[in-house]
Every structure is written in C-alpha cells, then in structure tokens.
Amino acid sequence: MFDMFFPDRYVASTYVIDFEGLYEKGIKGLIFDIDNTLVPHGAPADERAIELFERLKRIGYRCCLISNNQEPRVRMFNEKIQVDYVYNAHKPSVKNYKKAMEIMETDTSNTLFVGDQLFTDIWGAKRAGISSILVKPIYPKEEIQIVLKRYLERVVLYFYLRKLKERKKG
C-alpha cells in the first residue's frame, strides 16, 4: 500500500553513506535535496557539506542539487560547493529529476537521489525511476506544513521498517 513511498535505503545521515562503495557499484551521478538533508533548513553550506562535495568530486561523481526553494536560497547554499542545481523543482514532479540527470549526463541506472522527505524527495525519485536513500532530518525545527507531513511519514516508515524485518526473517 505504501510501497510507492519506500526508499531503497534509510540511513541516519547523508554523512554516513558509503559513496566510494556506491561509485564502485556503478553510481556516477548524485542528486541531493538541501534543507535537512545536507544542512539545517535555510543554512549555508557548512564545513561538513563543503568537505563532502570535495570528496564526491575527487571520487568522480557528477552532483546536482534539486530544491523546491527559490534560486536565492539554492545559489547561497551552492556558493561554497559549486555543483549544478535546479531550483523551484516542484518535487515530487518527475520533470526536474530528469533535468538533473540531463545536466549530469547520467540516467536512471547510474543515478542516486538523497533526501529527507518521503512525500516529496523519495516519491519523486521513485516516480522518476531513480534509486533513493532517505536520511533522517538534520534539524527537528521545521515549518508547520513539513511538521504535519512528518506525522504521516512516521506511519509510512513504520510499514517500511516492518517490511524490512519480514525480509530479513524470510
């Protein structure tokens, strides 16, 4: 019932993902949400984010940010990391996931999306045919519409985690 919202993986943080291992498995393009995926909502790129993107570039990744925010927010975050980006993305619309892949010259077979929201980030990636990793939000203080979505996300995550347990048993 909730499968359309299930990520391929669920981890504690963007910063614990084994990007080297994913590259060896054929992932060449990474699409990231910004707020609460890489930094707290509205924050500029911090040292941890800057170091991550330097590392990703050294590995050989093409990276693109896609955000539902307007360009000033996305541009401000991107100043210190300097990757491609798509703003006002209207996630979960598929259009800008495809645009990000075009920019990176990747396709659904070698692209991965990383984000913190099931109903925008993960659902959009899934609809676009892209593998996805859901991360726990960095900072709990969020706008009211996101707080309301988080309650619904807990229900979906309950069924996702239950499904994972059943797979491990079987």
Side-chain angles (χ1 to χ4, degrees):
M1 176 164 88
F2 294 115
D3 287 12
M4 68 181 130
F5 301 113
F6 290 173
D8 293 294
R9 288 184 50 214
Y10 180 38
V11 299
S13 165
T14 301
Y15 300 98
V16 302
I17 297 170
D18 177 13
F19 289 108
E20 288 81 2
L22 290 169
Y23 193 84
E24 289 172 13
K25 290 179 180 171
I27 299 298
K28 303 300 180 214
L30 298 170
I31 304 173
F32 290 93
D33 173 55
I34 300 171
D35 289 325
N36 264 337
T37 297
L38 295 165
V39 293
H41 190 82
D46 57 17
E47 284 305 312
R48 191 165 68 156
I50 294 165
E51 288 171 14
L52 173 65
F53 282 93
E54 287 172 356
R55 180 175 136 219
L56 296 174
K57 290 173 189 177
R58 279 194 309 272
I59 293 168
Y61 280 110
R62 294 289 308 268
C63 298
C64 189
L65 308 169
I66 68 170
S67 174
N68 285 347
N69 284 300
Q70 298 302 311
E71 188 175 22
R73 162 68 184 127
V74 180
R75 187 177 56 241
M76 180 266 290
F77 175 82
N78 193 44
E79 283 174 2
K80 293 183 181 175
I81 60 170
Q82 295 297 302
V83 297
D84 293 309
Y85 64 84
V86 178
Y87 62 92
N88 197 22
H90 299 286
K91 294 179 288 182
S93 171
V94 170
K95 177 184 172 189
N96 287 306
Y97 291 84
K98 290 181 178 180
K99 182 177 180 180
M101 287 186 286
E102 287 173 20
I103 291 168
M104 296 186 302
E105 299 177 338
T106 61
D107 59 40
T108 57
S109 71
N110 62 4
T111 303
L112 175 76
F113 179 85
V114 180
D116 71 300
Q117 292 190 56
L118 287 174
F119 302 130
T120 52
D121 298 333
I122 302 305
W123 190 32
K126 195 151 192 148
R127 292 174 65 219
I130 302 169
S131 295
S132 63
I133 296 178
L134 176 69
V135 297
K136 292 182 180 177
I138 289 175
Y139 188 67
K141 189 172 183 180
E142 297 177 297
E143 297 169 3
I144 187 65
Q145 71 271 18
I146 296 173
V147 171
L148 295 173
K149 280 193 252 179
R150 296 284 185 210
Y151 287 111
L152 296 173
E153 284 183 353
R154 284 190 201 129
V155 174
V156 175
L157 285 172
Y158 168 81
F159 288 103
Y160 169 74
L161 294 170
R162 194 169 98 181
K163 186 174 183 176
L164 286 181
K165 278 184 183 178
E166 288 172 7
R167 275 193 205 147
K168 286 180 184 179
K169 285 181 186 176

